[in-house]
Amino acid sequence: MGFFCIYINDEVMSKVSYYTAEGLKKLREELNNLKDIERPKASQAIAEARDKGDLSENAEYDAAKEAQGLLEMRISKLEETLSGARLIDESQLDTSKALIHSTVKIKNQTNGAQMTYKLVAQSEADLKQGKISVDSPIGKGLLGKSVGQVAEIQVPNGIMKFDIVEITRE
């Protein structure tokens, strides 16, 4: 009787994302904080809860273990993000089109309101600072557009049209 083995390459392709030097630094700082400060705190909380006796009815122990699991998931997710992170050389980017790290001024065709957004990676998005993700509906609608073009963006109540007024790099 013979055995037949099939080996499958189980390598997971990590999603490549592009970051500014500042964005990469923030990701690394968060990961280091989680590993160097939060992980030891979680271990300490588990040890303290374990010392309180019967683990079968110890809610503190269960909560500490769950918190540790969530922390490890966050660490794993950050490590995966960093493994696919690439630094953008902004000086090499085309300024004639809206690309990641472009600052785009748009004008709503319906009400004439003007807005300015910087297109960034998902993890760098912060609407209060005017940074929107290239994965958001508006971000996707603006990518690749040039000054003078119209971006048609699907929103829950229909399609919004925006004139591309200006594209800059900051």
Side-chain angles (χ1 to χ4, degrees):
M1 179 184 233
F3 289 96
F4 182 72
C5 292
I6 299 176
Y7 292 96
I8 298 172
N9 184 353
D10 202 28
E11 182 181 331
V12 177
M13 291 294 291
S14 64
K15 184 179 173 190
V16 173
S17 296
Y18 294 91
Y19 293 89
T20 58
E22 177 188 349
L24 269 177
K25 182 180 175 201
K26 283 182 182 176
L27 282 176
R28 287 191 182 109
E29 285 172 355
E30 182 181 356
L31 180 60
N32 290 338
N33 177 58
L34 292 176
K35 284 180 160 183
D36 300 340
I37 296 167
E38 298 303 322
R39 185 183 268 165
K41 279 185 190 175
S43 295
Q44 182 65 29
I46 289 170
E48 287 173 9
R50 189 183 311 118
D51 291 344
K52 292 183 179 174
D54 184 9
L55 297 182
S56 64
E57 295 180 16
N58 189 332
E60 268 186 70
Y61 179 78
D62 292 340
K65 286 296 281 183
E66 184 175 336
Q68 182 188 41
L70 292 173
L71 174 67
E72 292 302 326
M73 281 176 34
R74 180 71 183 134
I75 288 172
S76 176
K77 180 74 176 150
L78 272 172
E79 287 175 337
E80 180 183 325
T81 299
L82 278 166
S83 73
R86 302 292 179 266
L87 183 62
I88 292 176
D89 179 357
E90 295 188 59
S91 68
Q92 301 298 309
L93 293 177
D94 182 1
T95 56
S96 68
K97 293 181 182 168
L99 302 170
I100 191 163
H101 292 281
S102 294
T103 299
V104 184
K105 183 188 274 187
I106 57 176
K107 180 178 166 189
N108 186 325
Q109 285 188 349
T110 306
N111 61 17
Q114 288 197 12
M115 296 153 281
T116 302
Y117 296 115
K118 183 166 184 171
L119 300 174
V120 297
Q122 180 72 42
S123 63
E124 293 182 81
D126 183 348
L127 194 55
K128 289 178 186 165
Q129 293 183 6
K131 296 178 178 181
I132 61 170
S133 167
V134 290
D135 296 324
S136 70
I138 292 176
K140 285 179 182 175
L142 296 177
L143 281 176
K145 297 287 190 264
S146 300
V147 172
Q149 287 190 307
V150 175
E152 294 186 6
I153 298 166
Q154 183 70 47
V155 292
N157 59 348
I159 292 178
M160 294 183 75
K161 293 183 180 182
F162 296 97
D163 294 321
I164 309 297
V165 177
E166 183 181 50
I167 299 170
T168 57
R169 297 248 173 243
E170 294 175 5

